[in-house]
Amino acid sequence: MTKFEKPGRRENWDYPDMARESGTRALEDAGIEYDRIEEAYVGYVYGESTAGERAVYELGMTGIPITNVNNNCSTGSTALYQAARSIRGGLADCVLALGFEKMKSGSIALDSYGDREPPMLRHMQAIEKDSPMVFPPAAWMFGTAGAEHMRMYGSTPEHFARIAEKNHRHSTNNPYAQFQTEYTLEQIQADKMIYEPMQLTRLQCSPTSDGSGAAIVVSEEFVEKHNLAGQAVEIVGQAMVTDMRSTFDSNTARDVIGADMSRKAADAVYAQSGLSAQDVDVIELHDCFSANELITYEALGLAEVGEGHHLVDSGDTTYGGTWVVNPSGGLISKGHPLGATGLAQCAELTWQLRGTADKRQVEGATVALQHNIGLGGAAVVTAYRPAER
């Protein structure tokens, strides 16, 4: 991956430059040339048609199929999912998954066109039944879910602020993170208010970011042929789930913002892999807002529904606890260039399982779990283990 940056901070850094940087690093890491790539899935949310082709042409032009992917904030993981499906289906032995985003500063607009229905109109209308819409809309949607959790289960604004404190603290050891500053709980609570009902402050929100991530996904035969077992990480379970009737029929904000999708995807991954949440050591999950991290604890089975805040109280989601969640700093501190986020999560967990995450290293990590959602909507959950040596 590239370092994630504040939009426009790196001068003359356009999306082809980002893709060249992350893609070249991925190829060098795998020890292969671009001409071994048989297909590419390239994700981005904000860009013109065929930007995926233009980005990958920085690595080579060999005529391979290049598919553009746009699945909101889960775009990078969707590209990874599609690449892995090609391998699992025997359609290819070596596939590139790449994501990038060149964003504008400020809050993300959910309606880019004025002459058609926004894809998330139904989601916003469902939340608006109980919570009048305020801007920015994404903070309102996730903030409403956080306020709902407080009302129903007794979590407090401090629980959410402590999640942000943890992730900012983790990011101090991540040279790829957009922010590498440690903040006190008091500083987080006193920062600019973004959504009053759950006391959501700016330091509990993921920032807009520029950046790119990439992964080379290959078959077991390819690993053996190229002697890559010493560094390969195996996908032992993976699922992508889109909105279901329960998203709206449950009449809960948490399901509208993806909890039911995440739960179904996680259950499928546990069934595929034979693992449970208790087997997992390290997790990168989609903390676009602190509220979503807490709700996702429950969706992934780390806690029962309504009990996610108890993990914050016990310290079970940081170093020394049962799991280390978002050792990278997560979206809140590492940054959130939408199309790159899922592949940056993949990179972090690969390094963790290799034991090469430096000061971020989770000691003895042998099972990793990745969670990435995009409203509108899609959730992708992936479980990893080191490849058998």
Side-chain angles (χ1 to χ4, degrees):
M1 62 177 289
T2 70
K3 177 176 169 56
F4 286 178
E5 304 273 13
K6 180 179 179 180
R9 179 159 188 166
R10 199 187 301 191
E11 191 175 356
N12 299 320
W13 197 45
D14 205 352
Y15 71 91
D17 306 303
M18 300 175 194
R20 182 177 61 250
E21 187 174 331
S22 68
T24 299
R25 288 180 178 178
L27 290 166
E28 290 175 347
D29 182 74
I32 63 172
E33 299 295 327
Y34 178 75
D35 61 10
R36 300 310 305 268
I37 302 294
E38 299 168 63
E39 299 176 1
Y41 291 90
V42 188
Y44 59 95
V45 176
Y46 300 108
E48 302 291 348
S49 181
T50 68
E53 281 89 340
R54 174 62 190 90
V56 173
Y57 291 167
E58 291 295 307
L59 305 175
M61 298 178 69
T62 55
I64 63 168
I66 298 173
T67 302
N68 290 262
V69 178
N70 184 337
N71 229 3
N72 216 338
C73 301
S74 62
T75 291
S77 286
T78 302
L80 179 68
Y81 176 81
Q82 295 295 347
R85 278 174 63 87
S86 285
I87 300 297
R88 283 193 292 267
L91 303 177
D93 284 315
C94 185
V95 181
L96 171 68
L98 188 146
F100 60 82
E101 210 68 65
K102 184 178 175 68
M103 301 184 74
K104 295 180 180 180
S105 298
S107 300
I108 297 173
L110 298 184
D111 182 9
S112 300
Y113 301 94
D115 62 347
R116 66 204 71 180
E117 180 178 314
M120 280 190 287
L121 177 62
R122 189 175 182 183
H123 299 72
M124 292 187 287
Q125 289 173 334
I127 289 181
E128 201 168 20
K129 290 178 182 177
D130 298 315
S131 174
M133 182 177 178
V134 297
F135 287 86
W140 160 66
M141 295 177 76
F142 285 94
T144 297
E148 176 187 82
H149 196 282
M150 291 193 295
R151 184 176 66 253
M152 294 178 66
Y153 304 118
S155 54
T156 68
E158 183 172 319
H159 287 112
F160 298 107
R162 286 168 65 186
I163 287 171
E165 184 277 327
K166 167 184 70 72
N167 290 347
H168 284 293
R169 174 165 33 88
H170 287 179
S171 75
T172 61
N173 291 319
N174 187 359
Y176 293 95
Q178 183 169 337
F179 299 120
Q180 296 172 57
T181 302
E182 186 169 351
Y183 295 95
T184 66
L185 180 63
E186 292 72 25
Q187 286 174 312
I188 291 167
Q189 292 172 316
D191 199 31
K192 180 181 178 181
M193 188 62 60
I194 302 299
Y195 185 68
E196 183 75 33
M198 70 154 281
Q199 299 294 296
L200 181 71
T201 62
R202 179 174 51 186
L203 285 170
Q204 299 177 58
C205 306
S206 58
T208 51
S209 313
D210 288 350
S212 179
I216 309 297
V217 187
V218 302
S219 67
E220 292 184 36
E221 292 77 12
F222 191 97
V223 169
E224 293 172 3
K225 183 177 179 179
H226 294 271
N227 298 314
L228 294 171
Q231 67 193 81
V233 167
E234 182 180 3
I235 294 175
V236 294
Q238 188 175 51
M240 184 170 81
V241 174
T242 59
D243 289 311
M244 300 164 286
R245 292 296 311 179
S246 59
T247 301
F248 304 101
D249 290 349
S250 70
N251 294 313
T252 62
R254 67 176 178 272
D255 283 343
V256 175
I257 56 94
D260 60 340
M261 291 192 297
S262 299
R263 185 176 302 107
K264 184 173 182 178
D267 287 346
V269 166
Y270 294 144
Q272 291 168 22
S273 63
L275 299 167
S276 71
Q278 294 302 314
D279 295 313
V280 176
D281 302 301
V282 57
I283 302 169
E284 284 284 307
L285 62 76
H286 195 92
D287 62 317
C288 50
F289 299 91
S290 58
N292 199 52
E293 176 160 331
L294 191 150
I295 288 166
T296 303
Y297 293 162
E298 300 169 7
L300 297 181
L302 311 189
E304 296 295 327
V305 173
E307 297 184 2
H309 53 298
H310 298 316
L311 299 183
V312 179
D313 291 332
S314 64
D316 264 337
T317 58
T318 187
Y319 294 88
T322 303
W323 308 274
V324 178
V325 178
N326 289 328
S328 69
L331 284 58
I332 284 174
S333 201
K334 179 180 59 182
H336 185 25
L338 277 59
T341 288
L343 287 156
Q345 291 176 322
C346 174
E348 176 67 24
L349 295 177
T350 298
W351 295 327
Q352 289 287 347
L353 292 179
R354 288 179 180 173
T356 59
D358 198 29
K359 294 179 180 179
R360 304 187 309 284
Q361 184 63 49
V362 177
E363 186 176 354
T366 60
V367 178
L369 191 70
Q370 176 186 348
H371 163 269
N372 192 202
I373 64 166
L375 292 186
V380 185
V381 175
T382 307
Y384 306 86
R385 300 192 83 157
E388 292 186 9
R389 305 297 193 256

